[in-house]
Amino acid sequence: MTSLLDDVHTSAEWIARALESSGYRADFSPAGLRDIEQFMSDHSDEGTVVQGGLLTEDLGARLFALGCYLGETVRYAIGGSWEAEDDDPQGEINIRLRLPDGSVVWPVQRVMKRFRNGPEDSIVGYAAVLGLNMSPQPAATAKRRVRFFRRR
């Protein structure tokens, strides 16, 4: 049996590969979070999945994986360590990242809020507030390949 902490890295890597195969930049860089924001806009609309989009299947697992990806991006950029309680029935939602200054953030909850509320709960804005360098990047490609990805 794997722990939630084991699932963080596995899920983040899995979603990064899936996003890359669908034409999104998912390289764990702060600037790459712009593509995660675009992915959320492309495949969700304020709490509903876009018909035929990449969130129509396994929504919970995919939002968890996106939250792990967000958290890993933050951790790589500014440091920190994951904390979780495996016996918590909502452990996937309550998994958290303790930052070097001692503050605690909940990346999975942020992705869930972004899904539910739309761009007003921007992932890019969240990362910028946490201190990640969100320097402008070239515009995303106009046309994206869409593939349905499966969790391994």
Side-chain angles (χ1 to χ4, degrees):
M1 182 174 180
T2 63
S3 73
L4 281 172
L5 295 177
D6 294 331
D7 290 344
V8 168
H9 183 72
T10 302
S11 295
E13 289 291 331
W14 166 73
I15 201 74
R17 285 189 308 273
L19 289 161
E20 289 276 342
S21 75
S22 295
Y24 296 93
R25 178 180 176 184
D27 59 1
F28 294 96
S29 70
L33 291 176
R34 293 180 191 289
D35 274 50
I36 305 309
E37 185 71 37
Q38 186 62 52
F39 172 85
M40 295 300 290
S41 293
D42 291 347
H43 299 281
S44 66
D45 184 18
E46 296 183 0
T48 59
V49 297
V50 171
Q51 184 71 15
L54 298 177
L55 293 174
T56 57
E57 294 180 23
D58 302 320
L59 178 62
R62 291 177 185 191
L63 291 179
F64 173 76
L66 287 163
C68 291
Y69 176 89
L70 171 59
E72 285 291 84
T73 301
V74 170
R75 190 175 68 81
Y76 295 156
I78 62 174
S81 59
W82 286 98
E83 299 175 346
E85 277 96 42
D86 288 326
D87 57 349
D88 179 354
Q90 294 194 329
E92 292 89 356
I93 296 169
N94 295 325
I95 194 165
R96 60 199 171 276
L97 185 64
R98 184 168 303 276
L99 301 178
D101 68 0
S103 60
V104 177
V105 295
W106 292 265
V108 173
Q109 289 183 23
R110 170 51 79 168
V111 168
M112 292 172 65
K113 284 179 75 173
R114 170 59 179 88
F115 172 77
R116 185 175 49 249
N117 299 328
E120 75 179 53
D121 280 313
S122 166
I123 291 168
V124 171
Y126 177 75
V129 166
L130 292 177
L132 278 69
N133 179 358
M134 303 302 299
S135 61
Q137 294 295 310
T141 57
K143 186 175 180 179
R144 299 196 183 281
R145 294 178 293 132
V146 176
R147 292 185 188 161
F148 288 90
F149 46 89
R150 301 219 186 277
R151 188 171 184 145
R152 293 182 186 207

